[in-house]
Amino acid sequence: MQGVSLGQCSFCQLGHEDGYPWKSGTDEGTIVTLEGERVHNQCALWSPNCFQDAHTGRLKNVKKEVRRGKKLSCKICKLPGAVLGCSE
């Protein structure tokens, strides 16, 4: 995994110890630094325009997706960072 850090995920706005959307204490909830953005690896994987480079295995388009998400708000909670569409 690339640079592990503390702090808040640029996508879901939650930290590693918040325990949501993944249980705290697991690698899935760890905040990592990808393309200069602090994110949960799983949040980046679920972002529609992020993809894993076939040769390096690294996630690409993370910074672009974070910028896109800052322009969008969740219909339910009204917080910015909603990169996934919802059924509402």
Side-chain angles (χ1 to χ4, degrees):
M1 234 186 282
Q2 293 176 11
V4 175
S5 66
L6 298 175
Q8 197 173 44
C9 175
S10 295
F11 288 114
C12 72
Q13 311 301 316
L14 298 174
H16 175 66
E17 294 305 318
D18 291 320
Y20 180 81
W22 300 278
K23 294 179 183 175
S24 62
T26 69
D27 287 342
E28 294 165 339
T30 300
I31 301 286
V32 295
T33 303
L34 301 171
E35 297 180 2
E37 297 289 343
R38 294 186 309 198
V39 297
H40 289 110
N41 196 56
Q42 292 294 316
C43 285
L45 282 170
W46 278 92
S47 297
N49 296 315
C50 288
F51 64 93
Q52 198 166 19
D53 184 283
H55 301 290
T56 66
R58 292 183 181 213
L59 288 170
K60 300 289 187 179
N61 283 349
V62 175
K63 187 176 262 327
K64 186 176 179 180
E65 270 296 84
V66 168
R67 277 194 312 257
R68 185 177 77 85
K70 287 180 180 177
K71 298 175 189 172
L72 305 171
S73 295
C74 174
K75 184 170 182 160
I76 296 170
C77 72
K78 311 296 186 222
L79 292 174
V83 293
L84 284 176
C86 85
S87 62
E88 295 295 319

